[in-house]
Structures are given as C-alpha cells and as structure tokens.
Amino acid sequence: MRAEDVRAKTSDELVDALRDLKKEQFNLRFQAATGQLENTGRVRLVRRDIARIKTVLGQRRREAAAKETTNA
C-alpha cells in the first residue's frame, strides 16, 4: 500500500484496514513462531503498512485539533 493510497481513503476505511492488518500481523507472528511462515517478507510489508496508516491517522487528528483551537 502506497502513501497516496492511504491518504485517499477516509478515516473509517483506514481504521478498518488497520484492524485487518493487525489481525494479519498476529497471524504472521503465530506462523513464524510455529515454523509455518513461508513468505517472511510479508511481515515487513504489513508492519510498514500499519505505520503508514497510523501516521496518516495521527496527522488527521492533529489537523482536526488545530482547526478546533483556531475556531474556539
């Protein structure tokens, strides 16, 4: 998932995607612990996608908070 794709989504869609990625990350960790993980590179991609989504959500929260303080 590219940063452009993440920014194009709504916050609700990002929260849903984050939940799905967290589940996938858990499953990948479980597979790695039991020796069943075949695609080890996927762990890195999922971790980075989670970081991208959290970054965009954090930016949006800060922007919303800044707008509230300037309007108050």
Side-chain angles (χ1 to χ4, degrees), residues 38-66:
E38 294 178 10
N39 185 2
T40 57
R42 183 70 184 146
V43 175
R44 181 179 183 187
L45 294 176
V46 169
R47 191 173 66 236
R48 288 184 177 193
D49 285 345
I50 289 171
R52 281 188 192 100
I53 290 173
K54 284 185 171 185
T55 299
V56 170
L57 286 173
Q59 288 172 346
R60 289 182 182 176
R61 284 188 197 114
R62 284 190 297 278
E63 289 172 2

Side-chain angles (χ1 to χ4, degrees), residues 3-5 7 10 12 14 17 19 22-23 31 34 38 40 45 48 59 61 64 70 72:
E4 298 169 357
D5 301 334
R7 287 190 181 96
T10 66
D12 290 335
L14 290 178
R19 183 177 20 90
K22 288 281 198 174
K23 286 181 183 179
Q31 288 175 8
T34 59
E38 294 178 10
T40 57
L45 294 176
R48 288 184 177 193
Q59 288 172 346
R61 284 188 197 114
T70 57

Side-chain angles (χ1 to χ4, degrees), residues 20-39:
D20 294 341
L21 285 170
K22 288 281 198 174
K23 286 181 183 179
E24 183 177 356
Q25 184 183 35
F26 174 79
N27 289 332
L28 290 172
R29 279 197 319 248
F30 198 85
Q31 288 175 8
T34 59
Q36 297 174 352
L37 183 63
E38 294 178 10
N39 185 2

